[in-house]
Amino acid sequence: MTDTIYALSSGQSPAAVAIIRISGPAAASTLKALAGRVPKSRRATLQRLTDPASGDVLDHALTLWFDGPATATGEDLAELHLHGGRAVVARVLRTLAALPGLKPAEPGAFTRRAFENGRIDLAEAEGLADLLFAETELQRLSAIAMAEGGLSTQVVMWQDKLLGLSARTEALLDFSDEDDVDEDAGAATALSAEIAAMAAEVRAFLARPSGERLRDGIRVALAGPPNVGKSTLLNALAGREAAIVSPRAGTTRDVIEVPLALAGRPYVFVDTAGLHAGSGDEIEAIGMERARRVIAKSDIILWLDEQSASPAPERTITVHARADVAGREVAPSSADLAVSAATGEGMDRLVGMLTARADALLPRPGELALNTRQRDLLADCVESLVGDADLLITAENLRRARGALDRLTGRAGTEDMLDALFGRFCIGK
Ligand SMILES: Nc1nc2c(ncn2[C@@H]2O[C@H](COP(=O)(O)OP(=O)(O)OP(=O)(O)O)[C@@H](O)[C@H]2O)c(=O)[nH]1
Ligand SMILES: [Mg+2]
């Protein structure tokens, strides 16, 4: 028998309203114990909640009752909309803890139950998780596409197609006509062509920008020689003193990461130690080594040096910094733009250039973006989508491709169905 779980589902108190959710078989008896009766399903009801042990009044709350299984968790579900004071919430949680069959929910337990009860699949659960952590509008749009089942719908279509291809392979195997080898070979070739077409379709989906950049931010390195204004530029972009700035060369030694949204795009700016040829001291050498690693891993490099070329020109915006300083008013042609963190000159243009580069790396608004897990499984699927002259091998390849798609949604539906289907009878026999 499953436990009934409960948790504060709204933000931290104090707040105007606090929502406690209760999901599981004892949700109805819990509501009855607290409010005297279970209100009408799906109708907000004002009820007086009391502690059944002491008779103390807990709160006058709006209660909601959803009878399962057509609920968010797939179970009976109750919501208590309490006054959001700390003591109110603490006392109600304590009262719930004392009731039989109830236990506090682990993180994600409500969503987990929704998955286990078939209300959502894995890809949708991942979308929900992203939605909760979305900080920019772009992240929200992509997460909602995933949570609404955008990827799942696509996967179901591929699963259907694969099932059809599998069934045809099995049929060819069973009906293979030893007298007409040519006809069999022709059918196998046609099948292979269709499998290749499907592989191309999945591969095209894989070519989309990844969801990680959208979720974690585009990594932008601030790099170049010492004392050119890297940290000052970071602070100007961030609008706060994130990094120490000083007239001394070699001020920044370690790597400083600052997550930042600019023009609605998520970034992580990474300030680095100035690079120079001199030996310097040991700590400086370590700092430079770290800077090189940051540069290697960055999506975009803001290279604050027009004398030397960036180590990765294709990912670089060359910045002529400190453009307000006497003698630096004119940017050399090697620079993409001139900026001054002191006067703000060129800052809008810099953000514009970053936005253009970011948009090439990020999914379009509302476009589905795959995370690493989904990407790996789709890659497995593509790898298995190969037709072979030996139909037994083709059948096995298709089975593996189906397995990858099943793992993507966390549902082994098609595999179960095929086992049942092909286990019961054999075509042609
Ligand atoms: N006038 C003017 N001075 C600037 C500007 N940007 C930076 N500076 C000055 O240049 C000096 C070096 O700036 P930093 O931001 O510390 O340079 P950095 O590249 O981070 O230096 P390291 O960390 O030592 O490699 C400081 O004295 C800053 O005040 C600017 O846009 N205008
Ligand atoms: Mg610095």
Side-chain angles (χ1 to χ4, degrees):
M1 172 119 179
T2 29
D3 288 314
T4 296
I5 51 171
Y6 64 91
L8 177 66
S9 290
S10 54
Q12 279 309 311
S13 301
V17 178
I19 300 171
I20 289 177
R21 291 209 293 172
I22 305 159
S23 178
S29 61
T30 301
L31 204 49
K32 196 148 180 265
L34 294 181
R37 66 181 178 88
V38 177
K40 249 196 179 140
S41 187
R42 285 149 221 278
R43 286 275 283 275
T45 312
L46 186 64
Q47 290 187 301
R48 192 171 76 154
L49 306 182
T50 53
D51 181 338
S54 65
D56 288 353
V57 175
L58 299 172
D59 194 11
H60 288 258
L62 207 60
T63 59
L64 281 168
W65 167 248
F66 305 93
D67 45 351
T71 64
T73 55
E75 303 177 320
D76 282 352
L77 185 67
E79 285 186 12
L80 312 176
H81 293 229
L82 307 164
H83 290 99
R86 281 201 192 94
V88 180
V89 173
R91 178 65 196 270
V92 173
L93 289 175
R94 242 190 308 135
T95 305
L96 288 173
L99 292 174
L102 261 66
K103 66 166 198 187
E106 303 281 334
F110 288 88
T111 311
R112 191 188 181 109
R113 290 192 175 195
F115 169 68
E116 280 165 1
N117 293 320
R119 301 294 296 170
I120 55 172
D121 67 25
L122 266 189
E124 287 162 338
E126 285 168 323
L128 271 181
D130 287 345
L131 194 57
L132 292 184
F133 288 103
E135 289 190 1
T136 67
E137 180 66 2
L138 214 53
Q139 290 169 332
R140 187 187 70 77
L141 285 169
S142 171
I144 202 128
M146 187 67 76
E148 279 190 325
L151 178 61
S152 309
T153 310
Q154 177 62 67
V155 169
V156 166
M157 269 151 61
W158 284 330
Q159 277 168 330
D160 276 358
K161 205 178 223 177
L162 265 178
L163 270 177
L165 291 169
S166 289
R168 272 174 51 201
T169 312
E170 301 288 341
L172 276 174
L173 273 168
D174 281 344
F175 290 118
S176 73
D177 183 351
E178 266 126 55
D179 298 333
D180 195 345
V181 179
D182 284 352
E183 192 183 312
D184 279 359
T189 309
L191 194 65
S192 288
E194 277 188 51
I195 294 171
M198 179 168 173
E201 192 182 322
V202 181
R203 208 176 286 120
F205 209 87
L206 265 173
R208 292 169 175 226
S210 88
E212 266 74 20
R213 283 209 188 92
L214 180 60
R215 197 192 58 202
D216 303 334
I218 291 177
R219 295 185 72 82
V220 184
L222 286 139
N227 225 24
V228 289
K230 301 181 295 297
S231 301
T232 308
L233 185 56
L234 171 76
N235 291 350
L237 287 164
R240 65 186 175 89
E241 301 302 307
I244 300 174
V245 164
S246 92
R248 259 178 48 190
T251 301
T252 306
R253 304 204 147 190
D254 218 333
V255 165
I256 298 170
E257 297 196 359
V258 179
L260 210 59
L262 295 175
R265 279 71 172 174
Y267 300 92
V268 177
F269 282 87
V270 191
D271 189 18
T272 61
L275 297 169
H276 62 96
S279 55
D281 65 18
E282 197 183 339
I283 301 169
E284 209 177 7
I286 297 171
M288 285 199 274
E289 181 48 37
R290 289 190 179 182
R292 289 197 187 92
R293 260 183 279 150
V294 167
I295 292 169
K297 280 199 316 191
S298 293
D299 298 308
I300 302 171
I301 300 154
L302 294 184
W303 184 248
L304 273 69
D305 183 18
E306 52 273 1
Q307 313 301 334
S308 70
S310 146
E314 67 291 346
R315 287 183 279 135
T316 295
I317 298 174
T318 302
V319 180
H320 176 74
R322 293 178 290 127
D324 62 295
V325 171
R328 290 183 59 83
E329 292 88 351
V330 183
S333 60
S334 54
D336 291 311
L337 85 166
V339 301
S340 161
T343 66
E345 175 199 339
M347 292 299 283
D348 286 348
R349 232 188 118 211
L350 178 59
V351 173
M353 284 184 157
L354 284 168
T355 303
R357 297 238 178 179
D359 285 351
L361 297 169
L362 292 170
R364 259 159 278 294
E367 184 186 39
L368 277 173
L370 303 171
N371 63 31
T372 304
R373 187 191 75 85
Q374 296 160 347
R375 185 174 293 279
D376 288 350
L377 286 170
L378 279 190
D380 284 354
C381 176
V382 169
E383 211 173 289
S384 301
L385 280 173
V386 182
D388 194 278
D390 183 344
L391 287 172
L392 279 171
I393 293 178
T394 304
E396 172 59 17
N397 284 349
L398 292 176
R399 197 191 57 74
R400 276 194 291 132
R402 287 200 312 271
L405 291 186
D406 287 347
R407 286 199 297 283
L408 208 154
T409 55
R411 301 245 169 273
T414 55
E415 212 49 43
D416 290 352
M417 201 189 104
L418 274 190
D419 283 350
L421 186 69
F422 293 126
R424 252 185 305 126
F425 64 92
C426 190
I427 303 168
K429 290 264 162 73

